[in-house]
Amino acid sequence: MRQEQLRILLEDMTLKEKIGQLIQLSGDFFKANDISYGPREKLGISQEMVDYTGSVLNVAGAKATKEVQEHQMKVQPHHIPVMFMSDVVYGYKTIYPIPLGMGATWNPQLVKLAFEAAADEASAGGIQVAYAPMLDTVHDARWGRVLESPGEDPQLNSIYAKAMVEGFQDKLAEGKGVVSCIKHFAGYGGVEAGKEYNSVDMSISNLFQNYLPAYKEAIEAGAKMVMTSLTSLNGVPSTADQWLLNDLLRKTWGFNGIIISDYASIYELIKHGFAQDSSDAANKAINASVDIDMKSPCYANNLSKLVTDGKLDEKKIDEATWRILCLKNDLGLFEDPYRGASETREKECLLSTNKRKLARKIAATSLVLLQNKNEVLPLHKNTKIALIGPYGASHDLLGMWAVHGEAKDSVSIEEGLRQYFSNVKVEKGTDINRDRKIFEEMGFFTEKQIKDIISPEAIEKENNRKALSLAQDADVVILAMGENTLEAGEAGAKTNLSLPDNQVQLINQISKLGKQTVLLIISGRPLALHNVIDKVDAVLECWFPGTEGGNAIADVLSGNINPSGRITMSFPFTAAQEPIYYDHLSTGRPLHGSQHVGRFVSKYLDAPATPLYPFGFGLSYGHIDYEQLTLDKNELTRQGQIRAEITLNNTSDWDRYEVVQLYIRDQVATIVQPVKRLISFKKVLVKSHNSCKVDFIIKPEQLAFYDNYGCQILESGKFTLFIGSNSRDCLAQSFTLLD
Ligand code: NOJ
């Protein structure tokens, strides 16, 4: 439709029709099945407003979306199509590893392909907008939503942000892409104490340095929608934050796309104690230029009266409606309201061979080898394997936010292993968790389901016994342990990051058998593994690896693929260290390098001050040495650049990918700076018994930082440059940035 026609349409719409465009409801309002994760309640919205609704949440599938579209276009006076929006967080039907696993690939090109493939599937299922990527920087593994983020580093997250948004949107014009709605603006990852929906309070310099860059990069990459955060930031709920949304996002960053509230977050302004009632909440949100009210009655029931009472300028509603109509028009919905939705296309592209291949590749690339004592891995073809643990034969490898994915489509670890090894026997050994309270708190399970999950004592004993006897008879024991799907993801905050007691007990018993033992961890977050790593030889972090998880794990265990994943969130010794992240600010009494010794330095009395595995860490098969870090100069002018070069020496029989990481430290600055921060990396293949040189160009702008006014500044002085295989093990050199 031409712009003039769109304008005429807007002018012809009644106030109520316009307000309808600003409302988003879930499938139950349209007699459709949906897959909503969120509280369900009657909203008390009139049928008229339901008929006028502009967008639909989490209804998916060509058939369902077409039915809803057909009906809604009939009842909407101007026959305006609805938009279908959904959580396509790391795949639609073919599920890729969780974003924290994607982060561990250090391969944005591959991640982009996964997002592109997810968009292809979702658009065939009638989805036009995907609520992803989630770009919240994450520092605290207690928070369940770390699963949805690429990790703790702002620079790396920004690179992924661009790849993910482009992956979704590049093929929009061809009808195969989806609109990317980035979330949750802003700072949700900083929730206090890792507690879900808690408040966020941080300095402006921290916000700009660590939390905003990935969102900004996504906007620059063209993301057309932004979702607000459920939380408050420095005392102001993000859904009504005029500074954040109007001043920063729209004016300073020039974002003119759609802002949508998160689920019921406009209504929740009342619970925050920021709005008197739902009318006040609606007024505050629309004034902060929140265009769409997701799943709350505030806009539907109040905007009209606010306008007629003269408390709200209708212009605000026109502006929001215009943005929504424009997106519908850009998507071509006025010409083809069913855009892309096709049952034939679904048959061709959902879970296609190519998509599965990609899922397998990215899952294998995301696995992180954390320990490999005595080079127990990879395993020989004719190894006699005892596969033990709740995840051995399980298909539940998708993780909480794979809302459209189905476990039945995924490849279990057992199935994966059987393709490489002829002698695999399986025993569950123990339940996923035997703490009934945690299942009650998850909010999804009935009494009966909990009874099915937690075996009676006698059966648990028998399972243990069978596992031990199987292990006794094997060459190698593979333990497939970890968290339950619903222990991570939204509302999956926990204070205990260790494996559940029943799993630890079984690991202890098996370790006494003296067998070679490999521990596979299925989890949505870094767990605290210090109490089990000494009991096993190898540890492989598998995340929730997705549809092709079992195959990918087998690819790595068999040595068919050399693991190259590197963690993008620090793994703590204990949950009590959280939040723990590598780029923390320097302190006056550092653990190493303080003038004080013994007690009066920054540390804990009962646990190490450092993580168990640092950011960037991961092993591969074979061995590489980092040698000869050189800089081409040690003074950098404002217009100049420095070239750093390092030699990688592969002394092993393995070809391997190496993630070469470049960090800097600003030695003296007017705002205290991180002890180290990543400014670049390269993932390179180093052939066996070969060495290669890797170089980086460092420019002055990479050394700038944000002050407490949100301004980026570049200060002269001494910098240390580090290059290494992770944030802890690096070689260092110094240089000076001149005035
Ligand atoms: C609430 C979550 O916070 C958000 O990430 C999600 O997109 C919406 N629900 C819709 O399901």
Side-chain angles (χ1 to χ4, degrees):
M1 196 184 282
R2 280 179 294 115
Q3 290 267 308
E4 307 89 83
Q5 282 173 287
L6 207 59
R7 276 278 166 216
I8 294 169
L9 171 63
L10 177 67
E11 277 157 26
D12 204 43
M13 288 166 76
T14 62
L15 177 59
K16 281 200 174 164
E17 270 184 88
K18 288 187 277 188
I19 294 169
Q21 291 302 307
L22 318 192
I23 298 167
Q24 175 160 113
L25 298 173
S26 48
D28 42 332
F29 285 84
F30 312 100
K31 300 189 186 65
N33 281 333
D34 70 14
I35 319 172
S36 294
Y37 267 150
R40 279 183 182 269
E41 53 182 356
K42 294 260 171 287
L43 296 185
I45 293 177
S46 70
Q47 186 56 41
E48 186 186 24
M49 291 319 284
V50 174
D51 290 347
Y52 291 0
T53 295
S55 58
V56 176
L57 166 68
N58 275 342
V59 172
K63 186 164 179 288
T65 52
K66 277 184 182 171
E67 278 169 12
V68 173
Q69 188 67 291
E70 200 179 340
H71 178 262
Q72 286 307 108
M73 284 181 68
K74 260 190 215 141
V75 293
Q76 206 290 336
H78 283 89
H79 313 298
I80 301 175
V82 289
M83 264 189 290
F84 292 94
M85 309 198 186
S86 188
D87 289 294
V88 182
V89 183
Y90 46 98
Y92 176 70
K93 284 290 174 194
T94 310
I95 302 301
Y96 304 92
I98 56 168
L100 197 56
M102 290 204 202
T105 65
W106 296 68
N107 189 336
Q109 292 83 0
L110 197 55
V111 170
K112 182 175 172 179
L113 292 180
F115 272 66
E116 201 176 289
D120 187 33
E121 287 192 343
S123 61
I127 304 296
Q128 291 131 10
V129 176
Y131 295 139
M134 187 277 223
L135 295 171
D136 304 324
T137 302
V138 287
H139 282 171
D140 194 330
R142 289 173 298 178
W143 191 44
R145 303 199 79 168
V146 305
L147 171 155
E148 295 169 58
S149 163
E152 72 189 37
D153 184 75
Q155 165 74 7
L156 190 56
N157 288 4
S158 302
I159 293 170
Y160 282 125
K162 184 171 158 51
M164 290 167 168
V165 170
E166 290 178 352
F168 269 166
Q169 294 192 164
D170 270 3
K171 295 202 170 144
L172 259 186
E174 291 168 43
K176 289 183 170 179
V178 291
V179 166
S180 170
C181 176
I182 64 163
K183 61 192 190 183
H184 307 87
F185 201 63
Y188 190 4
V191 279
E192 218 168 78
K195 189 170 77 175
E196 187 59 292
Y197 312 129
N198 209 358
S199 38
V200 178
D201 208 304
M202 64 172 74
S203 75
I204 294 296
S205 112
N206 187 11
L207 178 68
F208 275 82
Q209 190 71 41
N210 297 314
Y211 289 84
L212 295 180
Y215 308 118
K216 185 159 184 274
E217 189 68 38
I219 302 293
E220 283 168 12
K224 291 175 185 290
M225 281 187 64
V226 171
M227 187 188 292
T228 65
S229 171
L230 294 160
T231 47
S232 65
L233 174 64
N234 297 337
V236 182
S238 296
T239 303
D241 191 335
Q242 299 233 15
W243 169 76
L244 190 68
L245 304 180
N246 285 336
D247 298 349
L248 182 76
L249 179 62
R250 290 217 189 271
K251 288 199 195 104
T252 312
W253 292 2
F255 177 70
N256 56 15
I258 295 170
I259 303 179
I260 185 169
S261 77
D262 197 351
Y263 201 104
S265 69
I266 299 186
Y267 184 76
E268 287 164 18
L269 294 173
I270 307 168
K271 304 284 173 190
H272 271 289
F274 194 79
Q276 304 266 1
D277 49 31
S278 70
S279 167
D280 191 23
N283 208 359
K284 287 188 161 128
I286 191 100
N287 273 299
S289 77
V290 175
D291 303 309
I292 300 181
D293 179 356
M294 184 200 295
K295 256 329 262 297
S296 110
C298 295
Y299 279 12
N301 293 349
N302 298 291
L303 288 184
S304 178
K305 189 161 185 313
L306 282 166
V307 172
T308 46
D309 289 354
K311 291 186 184 154
L312 172 68
D313 189 344
E314 191 169 346
K315 223 176 90 205
K316 290 271 167 209
I317 292 176
D318 287 349
E319 282 167 8
T321 311
W322 178 245
R323 284 191 279 263
I324 293 160
L325 292 180
C326 282
L327 186 59
K328 290 185 176 181
N329 196 32
D330 289 351
L331 288 170
L333 293 183
F334 291 104
E335 289 76 28
D336 174 12
Y338 306 113
R339 182 191 180 272
S342 141
E343 283 159 277
T344 321
R345 235 187 105 206
E346 280 183 326
K347 280 200 191 96
E348 281 160 19
C349 84
L350 304 186
L351 291 156
S352 67
T353 313
N354 282 346
K355 300 229 170 38
R356 279 189 175 273
K357 250 193 201 160
L358 176 65
R360 182 169 181 164
K361 181 167 182 194
I362 186 163
T365 318
S366 76
L367 304 178
V368 186
L369 183 62
L370 294 171
Q371 175 173 295
N372 194 15
K373 280 191 218 155
N374 309 317
E375 301 191 346
V376 61
L377 289 178
L379 303 174
H380 299 293
K381 227 177 147 225
N382 32 22
T383 311
K384 205 169 171 193
I385 295 173
L387 174 62
I388 291 170
Y391 274 116
S394 168
H395 288 84
D396 280 335
L397 298 172
L398 306 184
M400 179 194 174
W401 267 118
V403 292
H404 304 285
E406 292 178 73
K408 70 167 178 47
D409 296 323
S410 74
V411 180
S412 70
I413 298 172
E414 176 189 356
E415 288 159 352
L417 287 177
R418 288 204 190 284
Q419 295 185 35
Y420 286 100
F421 305 95
S422 50
N423 201 340
V424 180
K425 293 207 173 107
V426 192
E427 277 300 336
K428 178 177 162 197
T430 187
D431 295 330
I432 185 80
N433 199 318
R434 292 185 55 76
D435 177 1
R436 102 174 332 268
K437 183 90 184 102
I438 206 164
F439 289 108
E440 283 166 7
E441 289 297 333
M442 284 177 196
F444 275 89
F445 295 117
T446 60
E447 248 324 281
K448 156 128 196 3
Q449 286 167 324
I450 297 179
K451 268 201 183 129
D452 289 342
I453 297 170
I454 304 179
S455 321
E457 205 57 49
I459 296 192
E460 171 71 4
K461 269 205 179 124
E462 180 57 10
N463 285 343
N464 280 193
R465 191 198 60 73
K466 286 199 278 194
L468 285 167
S469 116
L470 186 68
Q472 185 74 270
D473 195 35
D475 301 331
V476 172
V477 182
I478 300 180
L479 295 161
M481 304 295 200
E483 293 182 295
N484 176 273
T485 299
L486 291 177
E487 280 182 71
E490 184 174 351
K494 298 201 298 191
T495 61
N496 182 356
L497 298 181
S498 301
L499 286 171
D501 291 347
N502 57 303
Q503 293 187 27
V504 175
Q505 274 161 23
L506 185 60
I507 294 173
N508 286 341
Q509 285 169 332
I510 285 181
S511 95
K512 288 192 189 122
L513 303 178
K515 298 279 170 180
Q516 291 193 321
T517 309
V518 178
L519 176 60
L520 308 177
I521 301 287
I522 305 293
S523 70
R525 49 158 64 85
L527 293 178
L529 299 172
H530 86 280
N531 58 341
V532 288
I533 55 172
D534 291 339
K535 315 280 182 202
V536 298
D537 297 287
V539 181
L540 186 70
E541 174 60 52
C542 304
W543 318 109
F544 283 100
T547 310
E548 285 288 317
N551 279 335
I553 290 168
D555 287 339
V556 164
L557 295 183
S558 64
N560 200 30
I561 289 185
N562 193 346
S564 66
R566 305 289 185 253
I567 52 175
T568 55
M569 252 197 112
S570 308
F571 274 48
F573 265 90
T574 153
Q577 289 178 313
E578 297 288 353
I580 187 162
Y581 47 97
Y582 85 97
D583 53 347
H584 61 86
L585 301 184
S586 354
T587 67
R589 293 184 172 187
L591 180 63
H592 303 293
S594 167
Q595 75 275 31
H596 305 290
V597 285
R599 184 181 180 92
F600 298 102
V601 291
S602 183
K603 64 171 189 182
Y604 300 105
L605 296 180
D606 59 350
T610 47
L612 180 62
Y613 300 113
F615 172 84
F617 179 82
L619 306 171
S620 300
Y621 303 143
H623 181 80
I624 278 187
D625 288 316
Y626 281 60
E627 293 161 359
Q628 295 162 354
L629 169 60
T630 56
L631 305 184
D632 67 343
K633 48 179 98 69
N634 47 25
E635 288 188 336
L636 174 61
T637 62
R638 298 262 162 160
Q639 286 73 40
Q641 59 182 38
I642 282 191
R643 183 168 166 276
E645 188 182 86
I646 193 146
T647 303
L648 304 189
N649 195 6
N650 184 346
T651 54
S652 70
D653 295 335
W654 287 91
D655 294 349
R656 57 178 265 180
Y657 280 99
E658 190 60 22
V659 180
V660 187
Q661 302 161 37
L662 169 66
Y663 299 88
I664 54 134
R665 175 172 183 164
D666 188 343
Q667 292 293 353
V668 181
T670 48
I671 300 270
V672 170
Q673 289 300 297
V675 290
K676 238 175 227 168
R677 77 180 156 94
L678 184 81
I679 60 166
S680 196
F681 71 91
K682 281 187 181 170
K683 190 164 185 174
V684 293
L685 179 66
V686 192
K687 293 271 186 195
S688 69
H689 299 287
N690 255 290
S691 68
C692 74
K693 290 187 192 305
V694 178
D695 69 344
F696 294 93
I697 300 294
I698 299 104
K699 297 197 170 154
E701 56 266 28
Q702 292 173 281
L703 311 176
F705 63 86
Y706 284 94
D707 66 13
N708 271 318
Y709 302 95
C711 298
Q712 220 178 11
I713 48 177
L714 181 60
E715 291 180 352
S716 318
K718 212 166 181 207
F719 288 81
T720 308
L721 179 148
F722 307 87
I723 297 185
S725 60
N726 63 66
S727 59
R728 182 191 58 202
D729 306 317
C730 297
L731 298 179
Q733 287 282 0
S734 294
F735 67 90
T736 305
L737 175 66
L738 302 174
D739 288 334

